[in-house]
């Protein structure tokens, strides 16, 4: 990974962690390079946002999410999981953090070598928003 890409990823991770703690969208002019979305990204409905990472149109906050939660943040998680090729079950993007979403989160966490606890906290948000 080129040095500039690593620096951008580290800075983005810090911004995402700050967003998770404060619940507010963090921005910075040099957070990460703008990336043209690929065809797969466009098909998934997700696009790159400087200072945020990948965004799928539901929620920009990176707040803690766990089994039983519902709403826009869960829809964003489900869309990001689908963007990353994970099976979120037959209900699709329904905003309900049920067993299928938890299984998809755990599979994603394993794929990026995070502890597979099924909880979307700061580290999981960072990987969902920035990894390709």
């Amino acid at each position: 990974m080129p040095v500039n890409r690593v620096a951008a990823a580290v800075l983005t991770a810090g911004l995402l962690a700050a967003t998770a703690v404060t619940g507010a969208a963090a921005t910075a002019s040099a957070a990460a390079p703008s990336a043209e979305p690929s065809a797969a990204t466009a098909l998934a409905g997700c696009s790159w946002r400087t200072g945020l990472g990948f965004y799928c149109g539901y929620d920009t906050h990176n707040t803690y999410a766990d089994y039983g939660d519902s709403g826009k943040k869960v829809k964003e998680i489900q869309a990001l999981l689908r963007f990353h090729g994970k099976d979120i079950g037959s209900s699709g993007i329904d905003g309900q953090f049920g067993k299928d979403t938890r299984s998809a989160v755990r599979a994603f966490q394993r794929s990026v070598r995070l502890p597979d606890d099924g909880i979307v906290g700061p580290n999981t948000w960072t990987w969902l928003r920035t990894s390709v």
Side-chain angles (χ1 to χ4, degrees):
M1 183 180 282
V3 174
N4 288 343
R5 184 92 167 128
V6 171
V10 169
L11 182 55
T12 300
L15 290 170
L16 290 172
T19 301
V21 171
T22 64
T27 58
S29 60
S34 290
E36 289 296 319
S38 66
T41 305
L43 289 175
C46 301
S47 61
W48 182 261
R49 296 266 178 104
T50 300
L52 179 64
F54 288 104
Y55 168 68
C56 298
Y58 296 100
D59 196 11
T60 58
H61 299 101
N62 298 331
T63 55
Y64 175 93
D66 196 357
Y67 186 83
D69 286 348
S70 62
K72 295 185 313 180
K73 70 179 174 184
V74 177
K75 285 184 175 185
E76 183 73 10
I77 291 164
Q78 291 169 329
L80 287 164
L81 288 166
R82 183 178 277 173
F83 167 70
H84 287 291
K86 301 303 176 203
D87 180 9
I88 59 171
S90 60
S91 297
I93 300 171
D94 63 359
Q96 301 299 313
F97 200 128
K99 65 180 182 64
D100 291 331
T101 300
R102 181 173 54 193
S103 293
V105 168
R106 292 184 76 196
F108 176 77
Q109 289 170 324
R110 284 190 300 274
S111 75
V112 296
R113 292 186 165 90
L114 288 173
D116 63 337
D117 59 8
I119 297 169
V120 182
N123 291 333
T124 302
W125 272 115
T126 297
W127 281 96
L128 282 169
R129 294 273 193 211
T130 61
S131 68
V132 282

